[in-house]
Amino acid sequence: MRVIGTAGHVDHGKSSLVKALTGIDPDRLREEKEREMTIDLGFAWMTLPSGQAVSIVDVPGHEDFIKNMLAGVGGIDVALFVVAADEGVMPQTREHLSILDLLEVRSGVVALAKQDLIDDPEWLELVKEDVREQLAGTTLENATIVPVSAKTGYGLEDLKQELDRVVAQSAPKRDINRPRLPIDRVFSIAGFGTVVTGTLTDGRLHVGEEVEILPQGLKSRIRGLQTHKEKVEEAVPGSRVAINLVGLSTDQLKRGDVVATPGWLKPTFLLDTSLRLLKSTPKALKHDTEVDFYAGSAVVQARVRLLGREALAPGEAGWAQLVLEKPVAVVKGDHFIIRFPNMTIGGGAIVDAHPARRYRRFRPDVMARLETLARGTPEEIVLETLARQQPLEVDELLKACNLTRDVAEQSLRGLLAGGQIVALTAQGMKGEAILAGNRYLFSLSGWTNLVDKISGLLADYHRAYPLRGGMPRGELKSRLNLLTRLFNEVAAQAAAEKRIAETSNGDVRLPSHEIRFTPTQQMRVEALLREFAAAPYTPPSVATSEEKVGADVLAALLEQRKLVKVSSEVLFSAATYEEMVARIVAQLQEKGKITVAEVRDLFNTSRKYALALLEHLDERQVTRRVGDERVLRSA
């Protein structure tokens, strides 16, 4: 799931464009409709031409509501940057672009809105050129500019196609089994209670799961989940989610709080950061300056402790500790914005969400530590390397991490013990045995996604072929595009986790799948089996059986082992087959040999059936032909 976020100057047509694209009016407040201006966050959704469903967060463009804009823009994957063709680049156009750049939103499309108001093609080209100049040097410098009109519909299909292309190329939200949802709305629904909304990152949430709300540490349980007003049992990373929480009132919660699974996310008052000041900032940022700090949907006051200099000049970057007035729930790698009351001045990324202390300034060892942290902890490097290239064998991963062998092995042991990395076919093994065995490794999210894909392929197959016990292993291997050894280990691991099962003939199925005949088919099956029971040694032929029940049903009976096919023409019921084999083997053990005629007479059948059965036993290597006789292959 991906989230598209609007950005741009006030009254440049963001909300009208969202409504034209989705059919949903994102302005939900009465005051917004009366003033014809977005004040708070609005939400919509749509299905792109490829079939990809996306959420849309519509943010206010007016400078008075930048706080609300920042609460919504932090979780987006793709920016829909809107510039009105009749006005061109304006103050909040620049500020919103700076915010997207500081947050490192690297995917976006520029909508040149209100194209219907422009009659002069030269003016349109001038506005395009101005926009390109503003984008130069930012994360959106390569964004496509699409002229559109929400009023006439001009360019909307082109815009959808471009959004589709950009969304497909944007990196998915990571899934490290540590779900968190920064709250951007809190409200109550009669009969259900308290509901919060936000964009889910880093993991999945499930109905019935226990959660905590930070920084307060409140405990709750998920009563229900919705995405795009549809109930879901599981919310996936990157999706817009509404959570119905048990046992909490709306006055206990606020925008900026974070919903997470218990135990792992800790609030903090102190952050180590990499900070960059905007070139447009009118003056240098001095040490110990107070600013407004924005991360996720939270905003608190903070004091900036510059660690390597007395002041940060416009356009410069440096290391800083931020001392927060109130605790926030953030993690390493989160991006943030800092502002003065009436302007955005800079931002950056968190390199340590829980530093042990306030550092003494101008310490080379502190700077070196921050440089290392900015590149990631060893565990994060190992996990990120695997996530990018998975699956990898142990030795391949250890080499690819670009860490010393000892550090990489120690990190891998910890990740295996913590369940963040899955080693295939290593049930019961400890870390050392896994490392020595050079197993295939997946990140937990990568493994989850692969197993989900296998389940989806099998579910589709069962729907298409309900009378087949399962998908042939070779077909599943081909669809997954896996090498034989890797596929075998994937299948073994998935079977050990009871996500798949094997049929009697080696095909693969979902554990819940059973062959079920329709009432008409069942009647025909029972009639055919009665014929087999009435003449067990001279039963209906393959062709006759197929004519009576149909090829698919006959194949299902063979797969269920209700019938056994001994040749292209001859079938027996399973019970009759086992009885005949047992009696032939018993006679061979007693007399040492048997002929076709003797088998015919033993069962009062015809030569056709006797010969077919003996040739079948030859193929199974139960018997061996010597002249006109058969003998047992072994004692």
Side-chain angles (χ1 to χ4, degrees):
M1 187 72 76
R2 303 288 198 280
V3 178
I4 297 171
T6 65
H9 193 75
V10 63
D11 200 31
H12 273 208
K14 297 185 294 297
S15 299
S16 297
L17 185 56
V18 170
K19 185 175 181 180
L21 287 170
T22 68
I24 300 169
D25 187 353
D27 285 343
R28 55 191 169 81
L29 303 177
R30 180 187 300 174
E31 187 180 356
E32 290 178 321
K33 296 184 184 300
E34 289 174 351
R35 297 174 61 176
E36 296 184 347
M37 178 176 67
T38 301
I39 295 171
D40 205 347
L41 300 176
F43 305 100
W45 54 89
M46 65 183 294
T47 301
L48 295 171
S50 66
Q52 168 76 47
V54 293
S55 303
I56 298 181
V57 178
D58 184 38
V59 305
H62 197 284
E63 62 180 341
D64 292 345
F65 306 114
I66 286 290
K67 286 186 178 181
N68 294 340
M69 180 267 183
L70 286 165
V73 78
I76 71 172
D77 302 291
V78 173
L80 177 54
F81 195 62
V82 181
V83 181
D86 60 330
E87 291 189 351
V89 175
M90 298 293 282
Q92 265 58 63
T93 308
R94 298 185 182 92
E95 184 169 14
H96 282 206
L97 180 58
S98 296
I99 289 169
L100 294 172
D101 188 48
L102 290 167
L103 295 175
E104 296 192 23
V105 177
R106 299 190 176 279
S107 300
V109 180
V110 178
L112 203 57
K114 302 187 180 183
Q115 187 271 347
D116 55 288
L117 299 180
I118 303 302
D119 296 326
D120 185 356
E122 291 186 5
W123 171 259
L124 202 61
E125 287 303 316
L126 286 172
V127 174
K128 284 183 181 180
E129 190 59 36
D130 192 13
V131 171
R132 289 191 185 97
E133 288 180 9
Q134 297 297 323
L135 297 177
T138 72
T139 52
L140 298 182
E141 65 178 344
N142 295 319
T144 302
I145 301 174
V146 182
V148 296
S149 170
K151 183 177 180 180
T152 67
Y154 177 86
L156 291 183
E157 290 305 316
D158 292 338
L159 180 58
K160 290 177 183 178
Q161 292 289 346
E162 184 61 18
L163 285 170
D164 205 355
R165 184 188 70 80
V166 173
V167 165
Q169 293 178 353
S170 66
K173 284 284 194 296
R174 66 179 184 174
D175 183 353
I176 58 172
N177 203 31
R178 291 185 169 184
R180 57 191 176 113
L181 181 139
I183 295 173
D184 52 38
R185 284 184 67 200
V186 180
F187 54 95
S188 179
I189 296 179
F192 292 92
T194 300
V195 176
V196 299
T197 69
T199 301
L200 180 62
T201 62
D202 291 349
R204 303 170 183 231
L205 292 175
H206 305 84
V207 172
E209 193 169 19
E210 300 295 323
V211 292
E212 64 178 342
I213 289 81
L214 301 163
Q216 307 96 307
L218 300 172
K219 304 296 183 182
S220 183
R221 180 174 55 82
I222 298 176
R223 176 181 287 147
L225 294 169
Q226 285 193 6
T227 292
H228 301 168
K229 292 191 176 181
E230 296 288 336
K231 290 183 179 180
V232 295
E233 291 296 312
E234 176 187 68
V236 299
S239 58
R240 288 287 311 170
V241 184
I243 308 176
N244 185 196
L245 294 172
V246 174
L248 296 176
S249 62
T250 55
D251 56 10
Q252 292 177 280
L253 307 170
K254 65 183 184 305
R255 176 179 287 176
D257 294 342
V258 177
V259 180
T261 47
W264 71 270
L265 184 59
K266 305 297 182 185
T268 180
F269 284 92
L270 189 64
L271 299 169
D272 288 347
T273 71
S274 171
L275 176 63
R276 173 164 66 93
L277 214 60
L278 292 174
K279 293 179 181 180
S280 58
T281 303
K283 60 180 180 179
L285 179 69
K286 295 181 179 179
H287 170 68
D288 239 16
T289 298
E290 286 192 353
V291 297
D292 291 330
F293 167 87
Y294 296 79
S297 57
V299 54
V300 299
Q301 282 198 312
R303 193 157 43 84
V304 181
R305 299 187 69 244
L306 296 174
L307 298 176
R309 57 184 72 192
E310 290 295 343
L312 205 61
E316 287 186 337
W319 302 112
Q321 272 195 322
L322 301 183
V323 184
L324 309 179
E325 185 181 74
K326 297 178 181 179
V328 295
V330 292
V331 301
K332 179 184 182 298
D334 281 357
H335 287 82
F336 65 90
I337 298 293
I338 59 171
R339 299 187 82 240
F340 287 149
N342 60 350
M343 71 174 68
T344 300
I345 61 170
I350 298 168
V351 297
D352 190 350
H354 298 279
R357 65 186 186 282
R358 297 188 189 188
Y359 306 124
R360 292 175 58 186
R361 300 172 66 213
F362 304 105
R363 291 278 300 270
D365 59 323
V366 170
M367 308 302 170
R369 175 182 178 276
L370 294 176
E371 287 281 359
T372 300
L373 284 176
R375 293 193 297 271
T377 64
E379 289 80 8
E380 288 171 328
I381 291 171
V382 171
L383 193 57
E384 288 292 332
T385 301
L386 180 59
R388 287 195 309 270
Q389 304 179 44
Q390 64 190 327
L392 291 174
E393 293 179 296
V394 171
D395 286 341
E396 292 175 332
L397 176 60
L398 295 177
K399 292 174 184 175
C401 289
N402 201 26
L403 298 169
T404 65
R405 182 86 180 191
D406 290 346
V407 171
E409 286 186 354
Q410 181 180 355
S411 300
L412 180 53
R413 291 188 194 96
L415 291 166
L416 286 165
Q420 290 177 273
I421 287 181
V422 175
L424 296 189
T425 62
Q427 290 82 5
M429 288 186 176
K430 300 299 182 183
E432 295 299 331
I434 293 172
L435 266 62
N438 200 29
R439 301 287 175 179
Y440 277 116
L441 304 175
F442 283 87
S443 70
L444 177 60
S445 61
W447 173 247
T448 300
N449 291 336
L450 178 58
V451 174
D452 287 348
K453 181 178 180 180
I454 291 172
S455 297
L457 288 171
L458 292 178
D460 291 342
Y461 190 89
H462 294 329
R463 281 191 292 271
Y465 305 104
L467 296 182
R468 297 183 187 178
M471 179 187 289
R473 287 177 67 91
E475 183 174 346
L476 181 58
K477 171 178 168 291
S478 176
R479 293 196 186 189
L480 294 172
N481 194 27
L482 298 178
L483 297 175
T484 300
R485 180 199 151 194
L486 175 57
F487 171 77
N488 290 337
E489 292 194 19
V490 165
Q493 181 77 17
E497 294 179 4
K498 301 190 184 308
R499 296 295 300 271
I500 64 171
E502 192 171 288
T503 67
S504 59
N505 63 357
D507 292 344
V508 184
R509 64 176 175 86
L510 291 175
S512 60
H513 176 65
E514 295 179 359
I515 294 175
R516 293 184 177 89
F517 299 122
T518 66
T520 300
Q521 290 170 336
Q522 186 64 40
M523 288 176 57
R524 292 172 180 169
V525 166
E526 290 171 359
L528 178 65
L529 294 180
R530 284 195 295 270
E531 291 189 42
F532 274 79
Y537 308 122
T538 56
S541 67
V542 171
T544 301
S545 299
E546 188 172 300
E547 184 178 340
K548 290 178 179 292
V549 297
D552 287 344
V553 173
L554 182 60
L557 292 172
L558 292 170
E559 193 161 338
Q560 291 176 321
R561 296 287 293 179
K562 292 182 178 179
L563 298 177
V564 178
K565 187 176 181 180
V566 299
S567 75
S568 61
E569 297 180 355
V570 175
L571 296 165
F572 292 105
S573 72
T576 300
Y577 172 81
E578 297 296 340
E579 176 214 341
M580 295 175 79
V581 172
R583 289 173 65 181
I584 289 170
V585 170
Q587 182 157 325
L588 284 169
Q589 289 173 335
E590 179 184 350
K591 298 183 177 180
K593 59 185 180 179
I594 197 168
T595 65
V596 173
E598 288 172 331
V599 171
R600 179 197 62 198
D601 297 340
L602 183 63
F603 298 107
N604 192 26
T605 185
S606 69
R607 177 180 174 81
K608 179 183 75 171
Y609 292 100
L611 179 60
L613 181 58
L614 285 178
E615 289 179 344
H616 169 73
L617 294 178
D618 291 345
E619 291 175 5
R620 279 188 55 193
Q621 298 189 348
V622 174
T623 58
R624 178 166 55 87
R625 181 176 178 176
V626 179
D628 291 332
E629 300 172 331
R630 260 71 177 186
V631 298
L632 282 175
R633 276 192 173 270
S634 64

